[in-house]
Amino acid sequence: MASLTCTNFTLLTAAAILLQITGLSLFVFGFFPIKPALSGVSGPESFRPSSCDSIEDQNFTALHPDHLKSLYQELSEIPPSYDRLILMVIDGLPAEFVLGRDDQPPSKIYKDAMPYTQSLLANKMASGYHAKAAPPTVTLPRLKAMTTGSIGGFLDVLFNFNTQALLEDNIIGQFFRIGWKMVMLGDETWLKLFPGLFTRHDGVSSFFVKDTVQVDNNVSRHLSYELYKNDWNLLILHYLGLDHVGHLGGRTSTLMGPKLKEMDEVIKLIHSSIIQNHKQTLLVVVSDHGMQENGNHGGSSYEETDSLALFISPKHSHVSVSPTINQVDIAPTLSLLFGVPIPKNNAGYLITDLFLPLQDHELLRAMELNSLQLLKLLEAQTTHFTCKSLYLDAISLHKSWKMKNDLRSASNDEFKNTVFAYNEFLKTASQQLSHTATDKPMGLLAIGVTTMLLSCIIFLFLLFKLIQETYQNLKIQLSEAFIAIIIIILVLSMGSSSLVEEEQYLWHFMTSSFFLILLHKTFKSKSTNKIKTSILISIIIISGRVLRGWHQGGVNWTHLPDISKSLENSSSFYIKLLQILSVFVILVLCFYTLSSLKSCVVISIMGSYFCVGLLVLNYVMKYQGDGDNDNDGILAAQMIYGLIVGLTSVMVVGSPWIVSFYLKDLVLKIKDCLYLSGIAYVFGWCFLQLLLQKPVNSMPISLLLVQILATICCGSDFKQWVEIGAIYYLGMAGHFSLGNTNTLATIDVAGAFIGISTHSTVLSGLIMFVITYASPMLSLLSMVLLISIKDINPNLKNMGQLLKTILGFPCLVPLGLNSVLLVAYTIILLLMRNHLFIWTVFSPKYIYVVVTTVCVLVGVLIVASTVTYIVSVVFLLRHRYYKYSAS
């Protein structure tokens, strides 16, 4: 069978990559569409059944705000309960901090931190609710849910970093249309969602999570002035500090108590002002989401979805119990309390307890309006819904009650039956709307899957072809077969939601098993390096066991003790000591790898990396933590960025000229250039991670480096594609060793702003990617170092064949392995599209699979570009040398 030329090999690989990107894009945009919403806004027609809509209803937007407000009050038949609203959002506040959990009061530390709020609840001056937030539990989709009443699309988590104006019908727009004057202080997300609607505003960025003080002071400094003013109807206060405290130190942070006390003082100030100056004001204290024990959020655990809804008013006595509502219930409740139409796409239902002060006929009218809106939405979104009979039953009972009430003969039981009937419809309709699966374009999805499958086949064909050309003996050994067995087991596990949540156990177990097989093979071999290889593999296995115990990842077992929790609960001295040790280990390994080069330039490079190490150590000891956001801390981080990028660029770009000074042999030149470049990538990346990762993750970074270097050193006894597969698996297992999981909640948002003085979505997103994919990218960058120590056939004088030989396995093995996992999980996601956990387990995992694919493509591109550049320049320099010699 003829071998492929370098050109054909390159073209087929590029075509497979292009097919993969195309298919993946088609599938993602087909499977995760923006959730369809009814266009337009609710108006007078929302107060009437569909059959009663009139021509005048279409022209309501031309009415003067005062006339429109009067029309709404006339049509609703419910007098507004209040005329001013203060909406206080405490970002990230779990409801259990205020209301407790499982019928138990909140912990003493939380209860003591908010004495005024607790007194309001105890004296029935406030109604508190656990408002269940739907995933993803990040700010943007949660604000949309509270203002529109609709369940957002899953990809709203991506738009959270680049907010656009909200075009969907919402209560803020409804208030604006009836002439309300509105003021917003706090998270600038509100200004991006509702541009031009606020009379006064002072926004702050929500992404500088290192700031826990100024971000809230910027809100509170206006508070006394705004409470004194009488020219607004809606005051929005969005406090970000508590969420930032969580990101920095978790629920048990020493800053949490003082921050809760600060929020309690704000509630006290507002409530006192309402009592003294304007009793027709309703104060609503809400949180957009909760937080995990480590302070992160984004997933679907109880701790993350347990948000707060607290309604405070001196007008009425409140219910003191703490039932659970849905976060989307806030929108229809506020709409009906203030006499504006319910937003068109609302899927929530009113909180009945807050309407008990109304007369019986007003309460039933409120429930009727909410039912009418949900019925219209159901009819517009689906033709198959089973709850219309419940609506008709409620309407029938309501009509009967009204007739008897007019005759003064309606009994209390009949009223309760009508309320019960409405509640049954409202709950059923809300649940059906919340769980209605979005129609998916199956044709588009099929094209996407087929295209990715074709790409996968090309990758595997090229890999098999290369193995055939490279190795004459195709007898498969256990260590080689186990590369495929690992992938097969991972693919089979993907259909189980529990195994997806706890995927880290599979990676750790399979990787350890693989190296045990290699150790067994080494013991049986007759290699002269038998003892050395055995020691290196033993180091890899021992390091892997430590890494496995560093973070108790996943979802269901995060409460179990692990090394990181023990360190965080102990004195910070031990973490600092490990950080110093990690810098030392990486420097020693760097100097050791450089020492094999016979050049005076090595001394300069060693000195440069020693400076990098000292700067990182200085930053770790002086700025990491509270000083990250200081000007000096930002400058120190930027200096490290610049030095690492500059040193890496000089070593990679300048290596052909550096090596030319002391080497003439073509093969040795290429190998030494690649060796220098590999060192630049690997150690530059490790020092960068010591700067960016959480302090407790410094030692795992050095252990991952030890594992990868040990694998490279002992790889001469194994086939190259097996060695590359081993390094790739180490990178994936290491991904979980750094505390990552398949939930969005473990993404380190705080680290994404290290060294950034002004908010940049692109820069912070890039740093977040670097932190999250530290381990997989390290394994890919190490391929350059691996290539440099492999033998190169000196008889290969053709540059194309040389590139194919050098780059074939380092590029195809990661591309092929990732492609199999990508296609398999894509098919599983499609099959699981109606599964109960599709949005809480399988979809977040797929986001990680997609970004892992991006990581592999970027890593392979860096490796291929580096090798191609070095080989090309070395060949060019040799050609010039011969030309010069001839002349």
Side-chain angles (χ1 to χ4, degrees):
M1 187 179 289
S3 63
L4 288 171
T5 64
C6 178
T7 302
N8 292 337
F9 186 87
T10 304
L11 288 175
L12 281 173
T13 303
I17 291 173
L18 185 61
L19 285 171
Q20 185 179 74
I21 294 172
T22 303
L24 185 56
S25 301
L26 291 174
F27 185 86
V28 167
F29 289 109
F31 195 87
F32 301 108
I34 305 303
K35 195 158 186 176
L38 297 180
S39 59
V41 297
S42 294
E45 83 289 344
S46 66
F47 299 101
R48 307 185 182 100
S50 301
S51 58
C52 301
D53 289 349
S54 64
I55 300 297
E56 289 78 9
D57 290 345
Q58 309 303 320
N59 303 318
F60 71 94
T61 54
L63 293 176
H64 187 274
D66 290 338
H67 294 161
L68 187 62
K69 182 178 180 181
S70 299
L71 177 61
Y72 285 162
Q73 290 183 12
E74 177 186 343
L75 293 174
S76 70
E77 303 172 22
I78 309 170
S81 300
Y82 308 91
D83 60 15
R84 294 211 311 179
L85 170 64
I86 299 176
L87 181 62
M88 178 180 176
V89 183
I90 305 177
D91 205 294
L93 175 64
E96 68 176 284
F97 282 15
V98 179
L99 305 175
R101 180 175 178 179
D102 299 330
D103 297 326
Q104 298 297 317
S107 301
K108 187 176 186 300
I109 185 174
Y110 302 134
K111 199 169 184 178
D112 291 346
M114 305 190 77
Y116 193 80
T117 305
Q118 292 298 329
S119 70
L120 292 176
L121 289 165
N123 296 323
K124 297 188 177 181
M125 300 178 69
S127 294
Y129 301 90
H130 293 266
K132 185 178 180 182
T137 45
V138 292
T139 297
L140 174 63
R142 299 303 95 233
L143 295 186
K144 285 184 177 181
M146 287 188 278
T147 55
T148 67
S150 63
I151 307 293
F154 185 79
L155 289 188
D156 272 342
V157 69
L158 303 181
F159 303 140
N160 190 60
F161 296 95
N162 188 25
T163 308
Q164 304 295 325
L166 181 59
L167 303 178
E168 191 177 341
D169 192 10
N170 59 83
I171 58 173
I172 305 299
Q174 291 289 353
F175 290 148
F176 183 77
R177 278 184 283 278
I178 63 171
W180 273 29
K181 304 300 180 184
M182 297 178 284
V183 178
M184 198 295 299
L185 306 171
D187 187 352
E188 65 182 4
T189 303
W190 290 92
L191 302 179
K192 295 176 181 179
L193 283 173
F194 310 106
L197 299 190
F198 296 106
T199 305
R200 290 187 298 277
H201 57 79
D202 189 1
V204 295
S205 173
S206 62
F207 296 111
F208 282 108
V209 297
K210 299 291 183 182
D211 176 17
T212 65
V213 179
Q214 286 301 123
V215 74
D216 285 347
N217 289 346
N218 202 59
V219 179
S220 295
R221 68 191 177 100
H222 299 285
L223 193 52
S224 296
Y225 172 80
E226 293 297 347
L227 292 175
Y228 174 77
K229 296 286 286 185
N230 201 33
D231 63 345
W232 53 263
N233 304 93
L234 170 62
L235 173 62
I236 297 175
L237 310 167
H238 193 137
Y239 286 92
L240 292 162
L242 188 137
D243 180 67
H244 293 185
V245 168
H247 281 297
L248 292 174
R251 288 188 172 210
T252 57
S253 169
T254 54
L255 301 176
M256 189 61 74
K259 182 56 67 176
L260 289 171
K261 179 66 175 175
E262 180 186 343
M263 295 297 99
D264 191 59
E265 289 296 326
V266 172
I267 293 172
K268 180 179 180 180
L269 176 63
I270 296 172
H271 187 246
S272 300
S273 174
I274 292 173
I275 293 174
Q276 294 174 12
N277 304 318
H278 207 298
K279 293 188 176 181
Q280 286 294 107
T281 301
L282 174 64
L283 169 61
V284 181
V285 182
V286 298
S287 59
D288 48 354
H289 50 74
M291 64 174 69
Q292 288 187 335
E293 286 299 323
N294 61 9
N296 289 334
H297 53 87
S300 58
S301 68
Y302 175 87
E303 289 77 12
E304 295 163 270
T305 59
D306 181 37
S307 63
L308 176 70
L310 195 64
F311 295 82
I312 305 170
S313 167
K315 277 185 63 176
H316 308 296
S317 177
H318 289 260
V319 179
S320 59
V321 296
S322 306
T324 298
I325 61 170
N326 291 312
Q327 201 173 57
V328 291
D329 298 340
I330 294 172
T333 299
L334 293 179
S335 296
L336 292 167
L337 286 174
F338 287 92
V340 295
I342 299 171
K344 270 193 173 184
N345 295 287
N346 164 68
Y349 60 95
L350 76 170
I351 305 169
T352 313
D353 298 335
L354 301 177
F355 293 84
L356 293 181
L358 297 180
Q359 297 183 38
D360 289 352
H361 71 278
E362 293 171 343
L363 173 59
L364 291 178
R365 175 59 173 164
M367 301 183 82
E368 180 186 15
L369 292 175
N370 196 176
S371 300
L372 183 61
Q373 178 267 322
L374 290 179
L375 180 72
K376 289 181 178 179
L377 184 60
L378 279 169
E379 290 175 336
Q381 287 196 356
T382 177
T383 56
H384 306 288
F385 58 95
T386 59
C387 55
K388 188 167 186 178
S389 60
L390 296 175
Y391 172 79
L392 295 175
D393 289 343
I395 290 295
S396 177
L397 288 171
H398 190 181
K399 287 181 179 178
S400 175
W401 180 88
K402 283 195 289 186
M403 291 176 60
K404 292 183 180 181
N405 191 53
D406 291 341
L407 300 172
R408 309 282 183 178
S409 61
S411 67
N412 190 48
D413 286 342
E414 289 174 309
F415 170 74
K416 289 181 178 178
N417 289 337
T418 307
V419 171
F420 179 80
Y422 271 128
N423 274 327
E424 282 294 297
F425 169 74
L426 289 169
K427 290 178 182 179
T428 307
S430 179
Q431 289 174 358
Q432 188 164 341
L433 285 167
S434 299
H435 293 94
T436 297
T438 304
D439 290 336
K440 295 177 174 58
M442 295 306 294
L444 186 66
L445 297 180
I447 293 173
V449 172
T450 304
T451 307
M452 282 187 279
L453 182 60
L454 178 59
S455 168
C456 181
I457 292 171
I458 295 174
F459 282 136
L460 295 180
F461 164 75
L462 290 174
L463 183 57
F464 181 73
K465 184 75 174 172
L466 192 62
I467 292 172
Q468 273 188 322
E469 293 177 9
T470 308
Y471 304 104
Q472 300 301 319
N473 182 14
L474 287 179
K475 182 180 178 182
I476 302 297
Q477 299 180 355
L478 178 59
S479 59
E480 298 164 9
F482 208 75
I483 293 285
I485 291 171
I486 291 175
I487 291 293
I488 292 170
I489 291 175
L490 286 166
V491 168
L492 293 175
S493 72
M494 288 176 174
S496 165
S497 61
S498 297
L499 289 177
V500 169
E501 290 177 324
E502 310 299 335
E503 184 182 352
Q504 74 281 355
Y505 292 116
L506 283 172
W507 278 109
H508 289 308
F509 175 77
M510 300 308 296
T511 305
S512 298
S513 301
F514 175 71
F515 279 99
L516 283 172
I517 291 171
L518 292 183
L519 185 61
H520 178 262
K521 179 182 177 182
T522 303
F523 282 146
K524 293 178 65 177
S525 71
K526 298 179 180 179
S527 170
T528 55
N529 295 323
K530 180 177 179 178
I531 296 176
K532 173 191 170 184
T533 304
S534 300
I535 293 173
L536 289 172
I537 294 176
S538 299
I539 291 172
I540 295 168
I541 294 171
I542 293 169
S543 299
R545 184 61 190 89
V546 176
L547 286 170
R548 177 187 171 187
W550 205 268
H551 283 282
Q552 193 65 45
V555 175
N556 299 313
W557 310 108
T558 53
H559 62 282
L560 295 179
D562 55 35
I563 299 173
S564 65
K565 292 188 185 73
S566 299
L567 288 170
E568 289 170 341
N569 292 332
S570 63
S571 170
S572 60
F573 168 78
Y574 296 106
I575 294 180
K576 293 294 183 185
L577 188 62
L578 286 177
Q579 288 180 287
I580 295 171
L581 180 60
S582 298
V583 172
F584 177 76
V585 168
I586 292 174
L587 276 175
V588 169
L589 290 173
C590 179
F591 293 165
Y592 176 76
T593 53
L594 282 168
S595 64
S596 63
L597 290 172
K598 309 300 181 184
S599 170
C600 58
V601 182
V602 170
I603 305 299
S604 301
I605 297 173
M606 284 183 176
S608 299
Y609 276 113
F610 185 71
C611 291
V612 173
L614 288 181
L615 286 174
V616 170
L617 196 58
N618 175 66
Y619 182 89
V620 162
M621 302 304 294
K622 194 172 180 181
Y623 301 111
Q624 197 167 54
D626 296 336
D628 282 340
N629 210 38
D630 294 344
N631 289 332
D632 290 344
I634 292 172
L635 183 60
Q638 290 174 346
M639 285 180 60
I640 297 170
Y641 288 152
L643 189 54
I644 291 174
V645 172
L647 183 58
T648 303
S649 301
V650 168
M651 287 180 65
V652 173
V653 176
S655 60
W657 281 271
I658 295 171
V659 171
S660 294
F661 283 116
Y662 64 90
L663 277 178
K664 301 302 178 185
D665 184 79
L666 176 69
V667 172
L668 291 178
K669 273 185 183 181
I670 292 173
K671 292 182 68 172
D672 275 19
C673 288
L674 291 174
Y675 192 73
L676 272 176
S677 300
I679 289 173
Y681 284 139
V682 168
F683 290 99
W685 188 259
C686 287
F687 281 120
L688 182 63
Q689 293 305 323
L690 291 182
L691 172 69
L692 296 176
Q693 290 285 338
K694 294 177 180 178
V696 77
N697 279 345
S698 59
M699 185 52 68
I701 291 295
S702 58
L703 289 175
L704 283 168
L705 177 61
V706 167
Q707 283 189 309
I708 289 173
L709 292 180
T711 305
I712 291 174
C713 290
C714 71
S716 58
D717 292 338
F718 311 108
K719 291 180 180 177
Q720 188 183 9
W721 68 272
V722 175
E723 186 181 2
I724 293 169
I727 293 174
Y728 179 79
Y729 289 156
L730 284 175
M732 293 307 299
H735 174 71
F736 296 100
S737 300
L738 292 173
N740 295 297
T741 67
N742 286 327
T743 68
L744 303 176
T746 50
I747 295 175
D748 183 12
V749 179
F753 299 92
I754 293 175
I756 298 181
S757 55
T758 57
H759 174 61
S760 168
T761 301
V762 174
L763 280 178
S764 58
L766 178 62
I767 295 174
M768 198 179 299
F769 171 82
V770 168
I771 295 171
T772 306
Y773 285 88
S775 180
M777 186 60 78
L778 177 60
S779 69
L780 291 166
L781 293 176
S782 69
M783 298 298 170
V784 179
L785 193 59
L786 173 68
I787 293 169
S788 69
I789 66 169
K790 295 299 177 185
D791 292 332
I792 297 177
N793 186 351
N795 298 320
L796 289 174
K797 303 300 182 182
N798 179 275
M799 189 173 71
Q801 286 301 112
L802 183 61
L803 284 173
K804 177 186 170 184
T805 303
I806 294 175
L807 282 175
F809 288 125
C811 291
L812 280 180
V813 172
L815 287 171
L817 293 176
N818 178 74
S819 183
V820 172
L821 293 174
L822 173 65
V823 171
Y825 197 74
T826 300
I827 294 171
I828 287 171
L829 186 71
L830 192 58
L831 295 175
M832 295 289 181
R833 63 189 180 277
N834 296 319
H835 194 280
L836 179 63
F837 299 140
I838 183 62
W839 302 118
T840 57
V841 176
F842 293 104
S843 293
K845 163 64 181 173
Y846 194 71
I847 296 298
Y848 277 103
V849 170
V850 171
V851 183
T852 300
T853 300
V854 174
C855 176
V856 170
L857 291 175
V858 170
V860 167
L861 178 63
I862 292 172
V863 172
S865 301
T866 302
V867 174
T868 303
Y869 164 76
I870 287 173
V871 172
S872 301
V873 172
V874 169
F875 265 82
L876 177 64
L877 290 175
R878 187 186 68 160
H879 176 72
R880 286 184 176 180
Y881 173 78
Y882 284 138
K883 186 176 180 181
Y884 177 78
S885 300
S887 64

